[in-house]
């Protein structure tokens, strides 16, 4: 395929592309032919890494509910089989389950591929790759794309076999066992969730299995659960715990059904969020605080690694109330996970790495960003709290939350958007240094974070470069009503000197 730009398929440590036609200005670039070459490239890359012939490799493949999934899955399996590799066809699966197939006895796959584009629109799809060491890194993806572009593959003498298997049931059973052992109540060991009504919203993604194969075997009443059937058109709402409409839907369902707890997953179940019995969202800072409370009960003094946009109240809660350490790092779930792994290697115990997006990874679970595992830990704590006559939300009763919080995204028109964005950040630092009541926050790992100490602002802001897009996101929080507007007004005066920024999102709030 001469002229094809393989690099455009890279999205950090994943591959993503347009798989279906029909959306204006979005040409298809993830075709069955391309996907077959990616399958061939992966097993050749893997064979070189493991020093094994491709014919000796066993690789698993799964997909989410996307409309393009079945065709692309056949293509990627065909590519690997042509190379002689043995392939497990897991059908509908979750991203975390695909990793688990590399470490589950009886499977012990050399590698795994998940076809998903997470919460992106229905016309997109992509590939996530795993080995027993975890998800691949950015450089690994670049290397696989280079192999695919060269397309110098030769067919094996004997084509590899493709074997269907229901692995999601194996994975679900692992979660069930984990919850039972975590609660470990002698009278309620088999069904620790009996007497609890728990509603699941799978958003028509791949997570519907969790109701019938995890919640119900543990005794939960799942009446009122919604959008469990896979549907790649996503007819009800975007399967994304960060989406306001999605969260409003699960909150409403919990209240309407008088449920004890609500769960929502993204499309491929590597992210999750929850809702308490009153219909209050347990996501972003609240979700981090809740799982941090669970982790620090088991591992006192542990470091909790988060992304850069978490609130000051969360830091105070983790360090003052929970007696842990809050290490605020960079955006990007791989960045957060890799930082927690690095800290452990240096001797600083870190048992949790979590983003405000809902990506959460725990040390005892291979530092795998697994929405189902994270939620399962909350369910175990919910069961223990109920048996002790307490509420799960009691764990975060002391969490101080901002009165106001906003994110503005400024598109960058400069050709070298990274250089221009960095220039804006440096100029803002100089501007902030001249403000008597603004102070640069130390130990900040991306962009610039400023503490705004005036009583009318009482908050902070963070300006950083987007991981992949020509955008400068600005996060602003305040502990007083009207504080965000006060901070934003002062910032607007600065940003209006930056002629290559689209400031409409900020101007609309201030108009």
């Amino acid at each position: 395929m001469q002229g094809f730009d393989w690099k455009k398929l890279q999205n950090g440590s994943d591959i993503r592309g347009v798989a279906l036609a029909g959306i204006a200005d979005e040409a298809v670039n993830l075709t069955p032919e391309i996907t077959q070459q990616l399958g061939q490239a992966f097993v050749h890359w893997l064979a070189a890494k493991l020093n094994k012939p491709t014919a000796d490799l066993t690789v698993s493949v799964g997909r989410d509910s996307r409309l393009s999934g079945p065709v692309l899955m056949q293509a990627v399996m065909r590519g690997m089989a042509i190379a002689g590799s043995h392939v497990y066809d897991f059908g509908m699966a979750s991203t975390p389950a695909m990793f688990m197939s590399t470490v589950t006895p009886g499977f012990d796959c050399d590698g795994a591929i998940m076809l998903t584009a997470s919460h992106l629109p229905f016309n997109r799809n992509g590939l996530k790759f795993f080995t027993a060491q975890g998800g691949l890194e950015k450089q690994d993806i670049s290397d696989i794309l280079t192999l695919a572009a060269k397309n110098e593959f030769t067919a094996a003498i004997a084509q590899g076999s493709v074997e269907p298997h229901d692995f999601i049931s194996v994975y679900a059973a692992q979660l069930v066992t984990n919850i039972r052992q975590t609660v470990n109540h002698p009278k309620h060991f088999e069904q620790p969730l009996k007497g609890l009504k728990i509603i699941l919203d799978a958003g028509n993604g791949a997570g519907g299995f969790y109701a019938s194969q995890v919640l119900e075997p543990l005794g939960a009443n799942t009446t009122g659960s919604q959008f469990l059937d896979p549907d790649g058109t996503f007819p009800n709402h975007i399967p994304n715990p960060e989406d306001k409409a999605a969260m409003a839907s699960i909150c409403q369902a919990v209240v309407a059904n008088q449920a004890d707890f609500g769960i929502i997953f993204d499309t491929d179940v590597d992210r999750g969020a929850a809702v308490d019995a009153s219909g209050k969202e347990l996501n972003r800072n609240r979700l981090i605080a809740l799982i941090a409370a669970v982790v620090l009960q088991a591992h006192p003094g542990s470091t909790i690694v988060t992304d850069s946009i978490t609130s000051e109240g969360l830091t105070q809660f983790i360090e003052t109330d929970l007696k842990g350490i809050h290490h605020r790092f960079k955006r990007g779930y791989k960045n957060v996970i890799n930082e927690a792994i690095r800290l452990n290697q240096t001797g600083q115990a870190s048992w949790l790495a979590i983003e405000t997006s809902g990506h959460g990874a725990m040390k005892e679970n291979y530092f795998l960003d697994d929405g189902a595992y994270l939620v399962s830990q909350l369910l175990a704590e919910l069961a223990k709290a109920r048996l002790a006559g307490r509420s799960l939300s009691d764990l975060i009763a002391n969490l101080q939350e901002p009165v106001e919080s906003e994110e503005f995204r400024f598109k960058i028109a400069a050709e070298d958007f990274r250089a221009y964005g960095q220039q804006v950040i440096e100029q803002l630092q100089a501007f902030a240094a001249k403000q008597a009541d603004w102070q640069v926050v130390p130990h900040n790992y991306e962009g610039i974070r400023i503490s705004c100490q005036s009583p009318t602002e009482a908050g902070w802001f963070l300006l950083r470069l987007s991981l992949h897009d020509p955008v400068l996101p600005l996060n602003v929080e305040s502990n007083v009503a009207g504080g965000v507007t006060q901070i934003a007004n002062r910032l607007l005066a600065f940003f209006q000197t930056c002629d290559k920024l689209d400031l409409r999102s900020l101007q609309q709030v201030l108009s």
Side-chain angles (χ1 to χ4, degrees):
M1 282 167 284
Q2 291 184 342
F4 183 77
D5 190 350
W6 288 87
K7 291 181 180 179
K8 279 193 174 181
L9 292 175
Q10 180 157 8
N11 184 67
S13 56
D14 299 336
I15 284 173
R16 287 183 180 172
V18 178
L20 293 176
I23 303 297
D25 301 320
E26 294 194 10
V28 173
N29 65 350
L30 191 62
T31 64
E33 184 181 8
I34 292 292
T35 307
Q36 178 174 314
Q37 282 182 227
L38 289 170
Q40 290 176 292
F42 177 57
V43 290
H44 281 84
W45 174 89
L46 187 59
K49 282 283 179 182
L50 300 178
N51 195 27
K52 294 171 67 172
T54 55
D56 289 348
L57 296 177
T58 298
V59 183
S60 58
V61 184
R63 64 177 178 86
D64 67 15
S65 60
R66 292 177 179 277
L67 298 175
S68 58
V71 171
L72 295 186
M73 187 168 172
Q74 290 299 317
V76 77
M77 291 192 298
R78 183 165 55 249
M80 293 190 291
I82 288 172
S85 301
H86 176 63
V87 183
Y88 282 126
D89 175 354
F90 286 168
M92 190 74 63
S94 72
T95 292
M98 297 314 301
F99 165 76
M100 291 304 295
S101 72
T102 69
V103 294
T104 297
F107 291 86
D108 297 310
C109 297
D110 296 294
I113 298 176
M114 177 69 178
L115 284 114
T116 182
S118 187
H119 61 280
L120 292 182
F122 76 96
N123 65 321
R124 309 293 183 88
N125 214 326
L127 293 87
K128 292 184 178 183
F129 302 91
F130 297 94
T131 68
Q133 283 67 53
L136 299 197
E137 299 293 338
K138 185 176 180 180
Q139 185 57 51
D140 299 325
I141 301 301
S142 297
D143 293 343
I144 289 169
L145 287 170
T146 298
L147 286 173
K150 290 179 179 178
N151 195 23
E152 296 173 347
F153 311 120
T154 55
I157 297 174
Q159 184 163 315
S161 59
V162 177
E163 179 185 344
H165 205 290
D166 174 22
F167 187 77
I168 201 68
S169 296
V170 176
Y171 169 72
Q174 293 172 346
L175 295 174
V176 168
T177 298
N178 178 269
I179 293 172
R180 284 175 177 155
Q181 292 176 346
T182 302
V183 178
N184 197 27
H185 194 283
K187 292 183 179 179
H188 304 278
F189 184 82
E190 287 296 317
Q191 294 194 318
L193 302 183
K194 191 168 186 178
L196 290 169
K197 179 179 275 193
I198 300 173
I199 287 179
L200 172 66
D201 183 332
N204 301 111
F209 75 93
Y210 197 84
S212 60
Q213 298 191 56
V214 179
L215 295 176
E216 290 172 11
L218 292 169
N221 177 356
T222 61
T223 304
S225 292
Q226 57 188 23
F227 319 139
L228 305 183
D229 294 331
D231 185 338
T233 64
F234 308 127
N236 295 291
H237 61 66
I238 297 170
N240 181 5
E242 287 191 288
D243 182 71
K244 291 182 179 179
M247 287 307 301
S249 181
I250 181 61
C251 289
Q252 183 181 12
V254 167
V255 172
N257 289 277
Q258 297 182 307
D260 298 290
F261 200 65
I263 300 165
I264 183 169
F265 291 132
D266 74 343
T267 321
D268 61 324
V269 204
D270 62 356
R271 290 187 295 137
V275 178
D276 69 14
S278 69
K280 187 176 182 179
E281 297 177 14
L282 297 171
N283 62 351
R284 300 181 68 81
N285 285 295
R286 290 178 198 154
L287 178 65
I288 296 171
L290 192 56
I291 192 62
V294 173
V295 167
L296 285 164
Q297 285 178 352
H299 308 286
S302 175
T303 297
I304 309 298
V305 182
T306 74
D307 60 341
S308 60
I309 65 171
T310 49
S311 71
E312 299 297 334
L314 179 66
T315 301
Q316 181 180 341
F317 179 71
I318 290 173
E319 299 196 339
T320 302
D321 292 84
L322 302 180
K323 309 301 182 187
I325 298 171
H326 182 197
H327 182 57
R328 191 186 288 120
F329 196 57
K330 300 176 183 178
R331 289 282 278 174
Y333 73 95
K334 288 290 287 184
N335 288 330
V336 173
I337 290 171
N338 287 343
E339 178 67 359
I341 293 170
R342 185 191 71 79
L343 289 177
N344 281 293
Q345 290 171 344
T346 65
Q348 182 174 345
S350 176
W351 285 80
L352 174 65
I354 184 166
E355 264 204 314
T356 48
S357 64
H359 280 289
M362 304 178 76
K363 183 180 178 183
E364 76 267 19
N365 192 43
Y366 305 94
F367 272 120
L368 173 66
D369 56 317
D370 184 343
Y373 185 87
L374 189 76
V375 163
S376 295
Q377 303 317 295
L378 298 183
L379 287 175
E381 196 63 30
L382 174 68
K384 289 193 284 187
R386 175 177 172 272
L387 291 167
R390 295 182 285 103
S391 164
L392 183 64
S393 296
D394 291 345
L395 287 175
I396 57 171
N398 292 337
L399 175 66
Q400 298 297 311
E401 299 190 74
V403 173
E404 298 177 341
S405 178
E406 292 286 346
E407 180 175 272
F408 309 95
R409 297 178 68 81
F410 308 140
K411 290 185 178 179
I412 303 172
E415 184 173 344
D416 187 350
F417 69 88
R418 292 198 176 278
Y420 185 81
Q422 189 57 45
Q423 177 184 325
V424 171
I425 289 170
E426 291 169 1
Q427 291 172 348
L428 177 57
Q429 183 157 355
F431 175 81
K434 298 175 183 177
Q435 314 301 309
D437 54 353
W438 284 5
Q439 289 189 359
V440 174
V441 176
H443 310 301
N444 183 61
Y445 293 88
E446 65 177 343
I448 179 172
R449 187 178 180 116
I450 299 293
S451 174
C452 306
Q453 299 173 333
S454 159
T456 60
E457 296 178 352
W460 59 271
F461 66 82
L462 174 76
L463 183 72
R464 61 184 175 85
L465 264 168
S466 170
L467 293 176
H468 307 298
D469 302 320
V471 171
L472 278 170
L474 171 70
N475 293 88
V476 187
E477 284 192 0
S478 173
N479 295 320
V480 296
V484 166
T485 300
Q486 289 278 352
I487 296 169
N489 263 316
R490 291 174 70 177
L491 284 169
L492 182 61
F494 164 78
F495 285 123
Q496 285 175 332
T497 67
C498 306
D499 60 353
K500 291 183 171 58
L501 295 184
D502 182 347
L503 303 177
R504 282 176 292 180
S505 63
L506 186 61
Q507 291 166 335
Q508 288 169 0
V509 170
L510 298 177
S511 62

